[in-house]
Amino acid sequence: MWKKIKLFMFFRTMIRRARTLIKDREESGQMVQNVRAKLQKDDIQEALKGFLDRIQALIRLADQYRLGNYRDISKKSMVLVIAGLLYFLSPIDAIPDFIAGLGLVDDLAIISYVWKTVNNEIEQFLDWEQESPNKTDTL
């Protein structure tokens, strides 16, 4: 139970940070670049096999929102998406990333929570993305 409490305490911190980050196009762009860079690491890609597509979709959503190309998502949902990406990016969270085999478990739990919570809006974004492929960057 303590691990769950700790997990959501860290996530609440990321939500607070996301509320300010959502307003700063340059800083949110840097966050998107940092998450993309983290995903390029071989050990991360191996550990995230089943989640890589979801994380990449959240990155694209955050980037298109930041650029002003896609705004058909509630601010509350967008804050959750950014908070999830911030949590994933942070090496020190409920279970630090340097702990082999376990370090990404909490990150995946948060990404799953975000995906499940804002699933309908993510699906709308993915539909928009397919209808407008020239408007989005690919990873």
Side-chain angles (χ1 to χ4, degrees):
M1 178 146 162
W2 170 243
K3 286 183 182 182
K4 283 185 182 182
I5 292 169
K6 191 175 178 185
L7 176 76
F8 283 102
M9 285 173 31
F10 278 109
F11 189 58
R12 277 194 221 140
T13 301
M14 297 305 165
I15 288 173
R16 285 192 296 275
R17 177 80 179 103
R19 286 186 182 128
T20 59
L21 191 68
I22 198 171
K23 299 172 189 170
D24 188 329
R25 184 176 173 168
E26 188 175 317
E27 198 173 345
S28 61
Q30 186 62 51
M31 185 259 326
V32 165
Q33 288 178 349
N34 292 344
V35 175
R36 284 183 174 149
K38 183 174 180 175
L39 286 179
Q40 295 304 311
K41 297 177 182 177
D42 290 336
D43 58 331
I44 297 291
Q45 287 187 6
E46 182 66 28
L48 299 176
K49 276 187 179 176
F51 287 85
L52 202 52
D53 289 343
R54 288 183 177 192
I55 295 169
Q56 290 173 335
L58 295 177
I59 294 169
R60 292 191 312 272
L61 173 55
D63 202 29
Q64 292 304 310
Y65 185 89
R66 171 187 79 81
L67 295 170
N69 295 334
Y70 187 81
R71 294 295 175 123
D72 195 18
I73 184 171
S74 71
K75 195 170 231 177
K76 182 179 179 180
S77 294
M78 198 63 232
V79 165
L80 282 177
V81 168
I82 291 174
L85 292 173
L86 285 170
Y87 192 95
F88 173 74
L89 191 56
S90 176
I92 305 297
D93 45 38
I95 303 173
D97 290 351
F98 60 83
I99 298 175
L102 293 176
L104 294 173
V105 170
D106 61 323
D107 296 7
L108 297 179
I110 291 295
I111 294 298
S112 294
Y113 167 77
V114 169
W115 192 275
K116 186 176 181 178
T117 303
V118 298
N119 185 31
N120 290 338
E121 290 175 291
I122 294 169
E123 293 297 328
Q124 287 175 336
F125 167 73
L126 294 174
D127 289 345
W128 172 84
E129 197 175 41
Q130 281 201 304
E131 293 169 7
S132 311
N134 58 336
K135 292 184 182 177
T136 61
D137 294 334
T138 57
L139 293 176

